């Protein structure tokens, strides 16, 4: 049976206020078993949060937080479950998965049930979690058959709920991301950066802010057209997302300026990431100037780091462009 009840998982705190409210309402009020499953690697899924209203037996295994999601079902049904999870992650769309005879109660009656899988993205194109709703769909007793009309109404409510969840996820993405580069927009990036600043200051952690822009970007727009400029911005954004780590934050600050927030990273680690990014871009014949600032004892807000990174970026421009300028010293890219 499900071994844990959690009404307000900390998981939802990583979303903005609007989606946070919608997600918590769904979690508390929706009358079905639900789970949040973390995607750790290909075909590897871990149960992170569980919410249920009544005991439900799925197999002889104990289903609990921190356990593999495949334990929800006995083999070979578990393999089919993983196939559907992989499809949901790969395609980034909700998946309905009906299990025939996969659920057994204490009286050894065979049941069928449905799993509704919804992808949750924390960055463009990367599904980090799955929301799983468990819905009993085909009980064998006569009373269940007689209640078909009620079940049909419930089925339609579930489908409509799935549509609303998908729509809210899409609207949340649009509200927090830049439409051209698919990185975080300025407002959302600064909100996330402020959270990282407070965490670093509270626990004495390292934190670096990297600001960069494309060298001679205005000339490119003027001579080759804005379509060429847009292509370069997309190329830069793709290179940044491919270079940084999963927990780093990438956002468009304005025009061709971008900011990368590097949590728990000292100046040497940030410099390594900047050099790797610069080398990757030079292979695509795209050159950038970069300024890197690190958290200091007298910093009072994230703006202090951003302003220093901006000043260092200006120094990189003045010193010849295609350079990396750090808080304590400068390196040629």
């Amino acid at each position: 049976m499900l071994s844990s009840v959690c009404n307000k998982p900390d998981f939802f705190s990583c979303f903005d206020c609007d989606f946070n409210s919608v997600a918590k309402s769904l979690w508390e009020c929706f009358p079905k078993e639900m789970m949040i499953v973390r995607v750790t690697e290909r075909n590897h899924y871990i149960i992170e949060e569980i919410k249920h209203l009544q005991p439900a037996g799925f197999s002889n295994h104990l289903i609990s937080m921190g356990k593999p999601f495949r334990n929800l079902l006995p083999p070979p049904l578990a393999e089919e479950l993983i196939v559907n999870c992989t499809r949901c992650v790969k395609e980034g769309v909700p998946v309905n998965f009906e299990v025939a005879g996969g659920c057994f109660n204490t009286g050894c009656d065979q049941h069928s049930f449905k799993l509704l899988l919804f992808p949750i993205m924390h960055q463009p194109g990367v599904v980090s979690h799955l929301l799983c709703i468990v819905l009993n769909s085909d009980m064998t007793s006569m009373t269940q058959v007689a209640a078909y009309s009620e079940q049909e109404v419930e089925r339609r409510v579930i489908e409509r709920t799935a549509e609303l969840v998908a729509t809210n996820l899409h609207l949340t993405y649009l509200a927090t991301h830049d439409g051209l580069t698919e990185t975080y927009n300025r407002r959302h990036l600064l909100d996330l950066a402020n959270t990282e600043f407070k965490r670093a200051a509270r626990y004495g952690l390292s934190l670096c802010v990297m600001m960069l822009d494309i060298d001679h970007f205005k000339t490119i727009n003027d001579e080759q057209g804005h379509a060429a400029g847009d292509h370069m911005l997309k190329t830069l954004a793709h290179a940044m997302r491919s270079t940084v780590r999963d927990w780093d934050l990438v956002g468009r600050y304005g025009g061709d300026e971008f900011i990368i927030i590097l949590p728990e990273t000292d100046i040497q680690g940030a410099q390594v990431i900047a050099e790797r990014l610069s080398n990757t871009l030079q292979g695509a014949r795209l050159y950038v100037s970069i300024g890197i600032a690190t958290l200091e004892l007298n910093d009072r807000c994230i703006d202090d780091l951003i302003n220093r990174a901006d000043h260092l970026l200006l120094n990189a421009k003045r010193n010849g462009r295609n350079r990396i300028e750090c808080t304590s010293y400068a390196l040629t890219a």
Side-chain angles (χ1 to χ4, degrees):
M1 65 174 62
L2 300 178
S3 62
S4 174
V5 176
C6 184
N7 288 329
K8 289 187 178 180
D10 292 337
F11 168 84
F12 293 129
S13 64
C14 62
F15 297 103
D16 64 15
C17 294
D18 291 339
F19 181 74
N20 193 345
S21 176
V22 173
K24 285 184 178 179
S25 297
L26 176 64
W27 187 262
E28 294 173 347
C29 301
F30 197 72
K32 292 296 173 185
E33 285 78 15
M34 292 191 292
M35 285 170 280
I36 293 173
V37 179
R38 176 165 46 90
V39 182
T40 59
E41 59 187 56
R42 186 176 182 183
N43 297 333
H44 193 194
Y45 308 91
I46 301 297
I47 297 174
E48 189 162 277
E49 300 286 355
I50 298 173
K51 177 256 183 182
H52 67 92
L53 302 180
Q54 59 185 2
F58 297 98
S59 69
N60 293 328
H61 299 280
L62 183 66
I63 306 304
S64 60
M65 291 188 294
K67 298 294 184 180
F69 194 38
R70 64 170 59 247
N71 287 3
L72 184 71
L73 297 172
L77 295 175
E79 298 306 318
E80 189 175 354
L81 171 64
I82 298 304
V83 168
N84 281 274
C85 288
T86 301
R87 176 192 165 198
C88 186
V89 170
K90 182 177 180 180
E91 299 179 7
V93 297
V95 172
N96 293 341
F97 172 40
E98 185 164 0
V99 182
C103 181
F104 298 85
N105 63 15
T106 55
C108 296
D109 293 327
Q110 190 169 355
H111 297 251
S112 295
F113 65 97
K114 181 180 291 186
L115 296 179
L116 307 180
L117 302 173
F118 302 93
I120 300 176
M121 300 182 186
H122 285 177
Q123 57 180 316
V126 179
V127 176
S128 61
H129 293 78
L130 299 176
L131 172 63
C132 173
I133 299 177
V134 182
L135 172 66
N136 292 338
S137 62
D138 183 26
M139 310 299 279
T140 56
S141 68
M142 291 302 295
T143 55
Q144 290 282 330
V145 175
Y148 171 78
S149 296
E150 181 179 347
Q151 293 175 6
E152 178 65 14
V153 171
E154 185 178 31
R155 182 187 66 80
R156 294 183 182 183
V157 170
I158 296 300
E159 290 181 351
R160 180 56 178 160
T161 301
E163 294 175 1
L164 290 173
V165 170
T167 299
N168 279 320
L169 289 173
H170 181 61
L171 291 176
T172 299
Y173 178 84
L174 293 178
T176 57
H177 289 75
D178 174 63
L180 177 65
T181 64
E182 296 185 341
T183 60
Y184 290 128
N185 60 30
R186 177 169 177 157
R187 178 186 62 81
H188 191 57
L189 175 70
L190 292 179
D191 287 343
L192 296 175
N194 188 55
T195 299
E196 288 297 335
F197 175 85
K198 291 179 179 179
R199 188 172 71 92
R202 182 182 302 117
Y203 298 110
L205 303 174
S206 299
L207 177 68
C208 283
V209 171
M210 185 186 306
M211 179 176 283
L212 63 150
D213 67 8
I214 301 173
D215 293 334
H216 304 293
F217 183 70
K218 185 177 184 302
T219 301
I220 295 170
N221 269 336
D222 292 343
E223 295 181 357
Q224 301 180 34
H226 287 85
D230 288 349
H231 176 72
M232 297 190 75
L233 291 173
K234 292 179 181 179
T235 300
L236 173 58
H238 180 268
M240 287 188 294
R241 293 196 302 268
S242 300
T243 302
V244 301
R245 304 156 301 183
D246 291 343
W247 55 88
D248 296 330
L249 307 172
V250 180
R252 187 178 182 184
Y253 194 63
D256 64 321
E257 286 186 341
F258 290 82
I259 285 180
I260 303 176
I261 306 298
L262 303 167
E264 299 184 37
T265 306
D266 58 21
I267 195 68
Q268 289 80 15
Q271 176 190 317
V272 170
I273 295 174
E275 290 175 336
R276 186 165 63 242
L277 174 60
S278 181
N279 292 335
T280 298
L281 292 170
Q282 289 182 44
R285 301 183 64 82
L286 198 160
Y287 303 95
V288 296
S289 297
I290 301 175
I292 307 174
T294 187
L295 180 63
E296 298 179 358
L297 290 176
N298 60 344
D299 288 333
R300 293 294 176 263
C301 62
I302 191 63
D303 287 343
D304 293 336
L305 278 81
I306 292 176
N307 290 337
R308 284 202 303 277
D310 189 21
H311 178 73
L312 290 163
L313 173 60
L314 291 175
N315 286 345
K317 294 290 187 184
R318 296 189 184 104
N319 292 331
R321 295 184 171 84
N322 190 29
R323 292 177 57 84
I324 301 169
E325 294 275 351
C326 300
T327 297
S328 55
Y329 53 91
L331 286 178
T332 302

